[in-house]
Amino acid sequence: MKKKTSLKDIAEKVGVSVTLVSYVLNNKMEGRINKEVAQKIRDTAKKLNYRTNQIAKSLKTNKTNTIGLIVADISNPFHSALARIIEDEAEKFGYTVIFGSSDESLKKSDKLIDIFLNRQIDGLIYAASENAEAQLEDLIKQKIPFVLVDRYFPGVNCSYVALDNYSASFKAVEYIIGKGRKRIAMIGYKSDLRHLRDRKRGYIAALKKHKLETKSIWMKEIKREDELQQVEKAMMELMAEKTPIDAILFGANRIATAGLKYISALPIKIPDELLIVSFDESESLDLFRSPIDYIKQPLRELGEESVRLLLQSIGKKSVITQVNLQAELVIRNL
Amino acid sequence: MKKKTSLKDIAEKVGVSVTLVSYVLNNKMEGRINKEVAQKIRDTAKKLNYRTNQIAKSLKTNKTNTIGLIVADISNPFHSALARIIEDEAEKFGYTVIFGSSDESLKKSDKLIDIFLNRQIDGLIYAASENAEAQLEDLIKQKIPFVLVDRYFPGVNCSYVALDNYSASFKAVEYIIGKGRKRIAMIGYKSDLRHLRDRKRGYIAALKKHKLETKSIWMKEIKREDELQQVEKAMMELMAEKTPIDAILFGANRIATAGLKYISALPIKIPDELLIVSFDESESLDLFRSPIDYIKQPLRELGEESVRLLLQSIGKKSVITQVNLQAELVIRNL
DNA sequence: CTGAAAGCGCTTACAG
DNA sequence: CTGAAAGCGCTTACAG
């Protein structure tokens, strides 16, 4: 790579000081600088193909205009859709995004945070995983600006933007009940993550409110490993009962995809014999035999708001804002 | 944010020079440094919670250990899956990834490249869009290490890792022909991008080789805007013929998703009346009435190889390597 | 075995 | 209206 041109190169060429070049190229002291000199500097910069060295600038200004984004897995459609929105919103404010996938592992996220902090990110948008409390407290102690997205931790006093998972779940189950279903199951992840627990709580609460049966074997909790087999097993158990279930709520997009794959091989009438509602959008829902109802997360708001909150807390004293957005229930079987 | 501890802080605390601290923390001159002093430096670094300032280091070493990744849209499953693989592979070599979505727009990619270069990325992995030739020549002229992924440009002499799209398409159509189909259509994007043209060429070539009819109205080219409607219109036209088509090749995952949505409302027997093959994997293919055959891209190789080629060309004199990987045809209807 | 010093490419008070 | 100079936090030849 040939040497890049620096402010000094321009200064020498034009015959002025580096200071002046810096002012002109940054549009500072506009009124006070000789128009002609300024123009000459600009022309020369263009001619020499000058490019600001952000690294040098960052070192001096202590600002990198970079946001770190940690999600569980960038290849998960939910996360990549979120990433795209965050990218666009960040770009509006002159920020670039570096990203990493934690695979829900504390160790990996620790490592990512470490790398990101070494790189002097201005702030972090973070879909934290289980048992991240200590890690988050540490970020707070270090006064690193960050905003949680999608996830939240009751014991940790920090900003977040997430779904109101309890209400979303509650609403979905009430809708199912309204359709006359009585034997309603749910498959969710076995996890202490609050947002996932809230989904389960909403499910139970809606059943209780309407005095419907809540059987513990109807609340299936699966591990993330071998998702496909786990969901399959859960479905089999649910269908094996003498009086089978007549509705099911899938607690996440990947569970739905796995569940639908299983059901697609079965001769059940959907939705007549089994009403299905899922969390999150996904292609699978559209292309199943009959379109599946789902709980639509306000992705755009999630992404945009998390960027806005983060930028707000960067620099300024951090006001803690916690947002739980409402979901929309998308009904396709009328 | 409270002041971070620097090498100087450690040096003062221990009572040695900054030089020495730098050496120790970077494991340089290992044999030549007093063990005890070294240990003391390490201990103090840990105690003061020292964190390398990568920005300062980068300014000095002229290396950021950062890769820029530009895809059309990070929320497209194909791209996000690729991004994940690139992330993991880059991480193995100590690189972090910053990303941006170009939306197939030259203007946006120009802007992203500009931003990335200002940030002194060490190299770029780029899924370039139409008419990018001049832009790429410019990168070459500036000696920016970069590798194209997924896309390639016949006139541009640079490294790339992509599918052998011609063969993939050819193979898929031969498979269709082997199934006894005679009236085979294809829907692809209207685009001069070489990899997309190669898919069309492979389709035509296979038909010709087997002396099958090639009707121009069977080769539908749609615009990326209003994909859904465009595909719908194309499908309607194809189905409207007196003797309808008996097979179709979808030229990309989004086209397949749109096409399947349309077909799912139709009372056609799949695959008996219409054999469907699609480029790329996607959930839709699994959950359609009957699983859809597809051309599987070697995503892992694409991602890993692009990182490897890039790292190879960073620093070293760039050897140009062009790779066209073979696709795998995944058959589900036996 | 260790340190003083230059320098990476910027910004910005300060002085004139 | 303009410039000399310090300094951001590192690395690294050079000297001893």
Side-chain angles (χ1 to χ4, degrees):
Chain A
M1 233 181 297
K2 72 180 155 194
K3 210 182 130 276
K4 292 161 187 157
T5 91
S6 67
L7 290 187
K8 199 171 156 216
D9 297 327
I10 299 173
E12 280 170 3
K13 189 106 175 186
V14 180
V16 293
S17 71
V18 171
T19 307
L20 205 53
V21 178
S22 171
Y23 284 151
V24 170
L25 264 28
N26 286 296
N27 301 312
K28 289 196 174 166
M29 317 266 140
E30 292 217 58
R32 316 168 136 277
I33 294 169
N34 185 311
K35 293 275 179 209
E36 284 175 37
V37 179
Q39 197 50 52
K40 209 154 151 196
I41 288 173
R42 277 186 235 279
D43 292 346
T44 310
K46 181 159 287 173
K47 197 164 60 192
L48 296 182
N49 197 19
Y50 175 72
R51 181 181 292 297
T52 310
N53 184 328
Q54 270 294 340
I55 296 293
K57 189 169 192 163
S58 293
L59 178 60
K60 183 65 193 173
T61 60
N62 222 8
K63 275 223 60 182
T64 54
N65 281 280
T66 303
I67 287 178
L69 170 67
I70 301 179
V71 293
D73 182 2
I74 193 73
S75 73
N76 178 318
F78 176 80
H79 294 305
S80 66
L82 198 56
R84 177 61 204 267
I85 294 163
I86 288 172
E87 175 201 340
D88 287 348
E89 187 69 11
E91 195 268 340
K92 283 186 203 158
F93 297 95
Y95 281 78
T96 302
V97 182
I98 63 184
F99 75 92
S101 306
S102 74
D103 289 323
E104 305 283 1
S105 142
L106 206 52
K107 204 172 135 207
K108 283 199 186 179
S109 59
D110 262 335
K111 187 163 177 199
L112 285 169
I113 290 176
D114 201 52
I115 292 172
F116 286 2
L117 291 183
N118 285 354
R119 284 162 189 275
Q120 316 294 120
I121 53 167
D122 292 335
L124 176 68
I125 296 181
Y126 185 20
S129 17
E130 239 167 324
N131 306 314
E133 287 85 352
Q135 188 187 54
L136 298 177
E137 292 295 354
D138 202 51
L139 288 175
I140 294 171
K141 210 178 71 192
Q142 290 184 66
K143 302 219 199 302
I144 312 292
F146 75 98
V147 172
L148 296 183
V149 67
D150 186 42
R151 320 293 178 87
Y152 41 99
F153 296 79
V156 182
N157 191 26
C158 67
S159 293
Y160 68 77
V161 189
L163 191 70
D164 181 344
N165 288 281
Y166 176 89
S167 300
S169 206
F170 190 92
K171 196 158 47 166
V173 174
E174 282 209 310
Y175 156 73
I176 294 172
I177 295 169
K179 286 287 186 180
R181 309 296 163 128
K182 309 259 183 234
R183 305 171 60 77
I184 305 167
M186 173 174 183
I187 303 183
Y189 288 115
K190 180 167 187 56
S191 165
D192 280 336
L193 277 168
R194 179 57 180 264
H195 74 295
L196 295 178
R197 284 180 48 208
D198 281 353
R199 293 180 185 182
K200 297 171 204 159
R201 287 176 46 231
Y203 158 77
I204 300 284
L207 292 182
K208 292 221 161 123
K209 179 181 165 199
H210 292 272
K211 314 243 186 283
L212 284 185
E213 203 174 351
T214 58
K215 287 169 70 166
S216 64
I217 64 149
W218 284 350
M219 173 69 254
K220 294 289 183 198
E221 303 201 301
I222 65 155
K223 298 199 206 103
R224 286 179 194 274
E225 304 87 63
D226 308 313
E227 227 161 57
L228 214 61
Q229 290 90 317
Q230 295 259 336
V231 170
E232 198 165 304
K233 181 161 160 282
M235 287 299 305
M236 273 172 58
E237 290 171 12
L238 288 171
M239 309 305 280
E241 293 191 79
K242 52 247 137 239
T243 321
I245 56 167
D246 57 15
I248 188 161
L249 173 63
F250 289 125
N253 59 356
R254 290 200 161 164
I255 294 176
T257 302
L260 291 177
K261 267 188 200 173
Y262 178 79
I263 295 169
S264 70
L266 263 44
I268 316 176
K269 288 193 121 181
I270 308 293
D272 294 350
E273 291 171 33
L274 185 69
L275 178 57
I276 303 174
V277 177
S278 169
F279 262 84
D280 304 333
E281 287 172 272
S282 88
E283 284 180 8
S284 346
L285 306 180
D286 295 337
L287 284 159
F288 197 70
R289 287 174 215 160
S290 86
I292 304 299
D293 303 328
Y294 64 95
I295 294 163
K296 181 179 184 165
Q297 296 215 35
L299 269 181
R300 180 151 299 283
E301 286 81 354
L302 275 175
E304 290 181 352
E305 191 64 18
S306 62
V307 173
R308 265 184 243 126
L309 284 185
L310 182 63
L311 296 189
Q312 196 175 303
S313 85
I314 288 174
K316 298 186 191 178
K317 64 232 151 274
S318 53
V319 183
I320 289 172
T321 315
Q322 306 188 326
V323 184
N324 281 97
L325 299 164
Q326 291 305 308
E328 177 194 351
L329 191 56
V330 178
I331 310 295
R332 352 268 292 270
N333 302 300
L334 296 172
Chain B
M1 232 181 298
K2 72 179 154 194
K3 210 182 131 279
K4 292 160 187 159
T5 91
S6 67
L7 290 187
K8 199 171 157 215
D9 297 328
I10 299 172
E12 279 169 4
K13 190 108 175 185
V14 180
V16 293
S17 71
V18 171
T19 307
L20 204 53
V21 178
S22 172
Y23 284 151
V24 170
L25 264 28
N26 286 295
N27 302 311
K28 289 195 175 167
M29 317 267 141
E30 293 216 59
R32 316 170 136 279
I33 294 168
N34 185 309
K35 293 277 179 209
E36 282 175 37
V37 179
Q39 197 51 50
K40 209 154 151 194
I41 288 172
R42 278 186 234 278
D43 292 346
T44 311
K46 182 157 288 173
K47 198 164 60 194
L48 297 182
N49 196 20
Y50 175 72
R51 180 182 293 296
T52 309
N53 184 329
Q54 269 295 341
I55 295 295
K57 189 169 191 161
S58 292
L59 179 58
K60 183 64 194 172
T61 60
N62 221 7
K63 275 224 60 183
T64 53
N65 281 280
T66 302
I67 286 178
L69 171 67
I70 301 180
V71 294
D73 181 2
I74 193 73
S75 73
N76 177 319
F78 176 79
H79 294 305
S80 66
L82 199 57
R84 178 59 205 269
I85 293 163
I86 289 172
E87 175 201 340
D88 287 348
E89 188 68 12
E91 195 269 339
K92 284 186 202 157
F93 298 95
Y95 281 78
T96 302
V97 182
I98 63 184
F99 76 92
S101 306
S102 73
D103 289 323
E104 306 283 0
S105 142
L106 206 52
K107 204 171 137 206
K108 283 200 187 176
S109 59
D110 262 335
K111 187 163 179 198
L112 285 169
I113 289 176
D114 200 53
I115 293 172
F116 286 2
L117 291 184
N118 285 354
R119 284 163 188 274
Q120 317 293 120
I121 54 167
D122 293 334
L124 176 67
I125 295 181
Y126 185 21
S129 18
E130 238 168 324
N131 305 316
E133 287 85 351
Q135 188 187 54
L136 298 177
E137 293 294 354
D138 203 51
L139 288 175
I140 294 171
K141 210 178 72 193
Q142 290 184 66
K143 302 219 197 301
I144 312 292
F146 74 99
V147 172
L148 296 184
V149 67
D150 186 42
R151 321 292 178 89
Y152 41 99
F153 296 79
V156 182
N157 191 26
C158 67
S159 294
Y160 68 77
V161 188
L163 192 69
D164 181 343
N165 288 281
Y166 176 87
S167 299
S169 206
F170 191 92
K171 196 159 46 166
V173 174
E174 282 210 310
Y175 156 74
I176 294 173
I177 294 169
K179 287 286 187 181
R181 309 296 163 130
K182 310 261 182 230
R183 305 172 59 77
I184 306 167
M186 172 175 184
I187 303 184
Y189 287 115
K190 180 169 188 55
S191 165
D192 281 335
L193 277 168
R194 179 57 180 264
H195 75 294
L196 295 178
R197 284 180 48 208
D198 282 352
R199 294 180 185 182
K200 297 171 205 158
R201 285 177 46 231
Y203 158 77
I204 300 283
L207 292 183
K208 292 221 161 126
K209 178 181 166 196
H210 293 272
K211 315 244 185 282
L212 285 185
E213 202 174 352
T214 58
K215 287 170 71 167
S216 64
I217 64 150
W218 284 351
M219 174 69 255
K220 294 290 183 198
E221 304 202 301
I222 64 154
K223 298 201 206 99
R224 286 179 192 274
E225 304 86 62
D226 308 313
E227 227 162 57
L228 214 61
Q229 290 92 315
Q230 295 258 337
V231 170
E232 198 166 302
K233 182 161 158 283
M235 286 300 305
M236 275 171 57
E237 290 171 14
L238 289 172
M239 309 306 280
E241 292 191 79
K242 52 245 140 246
T243 321
I245 56 167
D246 56 16
I248 188 161
L249 174 63
F250 289 126
N253 59 357
R254 290 201 161 162
I255 294 177
T257 302
L260 291 176
K261 267 188 200 172
Y262 178 79
I263 295 170
S264 70
L266 263 44
I268 316 176
K269 288 193 122 180
I270 308 292
D272 294 351
E273 290 171 35
L274 185 68
L275 178 57
I276 303 174
V277 177
S278 168
F279 263 84
D280 305 333
E281 287 171 271
S282 88
E283 285 181 8
S284 345
L285 306 181
D286 296 337
L287 285 158
F288 196 70
R289 291 175 213 160
S290 87
I292 304 299
D293 303 328
Y294 64 95
I295 294 163
K296 181 179 183 166
Q297 297 215 36
L299 269 181
R300 179 151 299 282
E301 287 81 355
L302 276 175
E304 291 181 352
E305 192 63 18
S306 62
V307 172
R308 265 184 243 126
L309 284 185
L310 182 63
L311 296 189
Q312 197 175 304
S313 85
I314 288 175
K316 298 186 189 177
K317 63 233 153 274
S318 53
V319 182
I320 289 172
T321 314
Q322 306 188 327
V323 184
N324 281 97
L325 300 164
Q326 290 306 309
E328 177 194 350
L329 191 56
V330 179
I331 310 295
R332 352 269 292 271
N333 302 299
L334 294 173

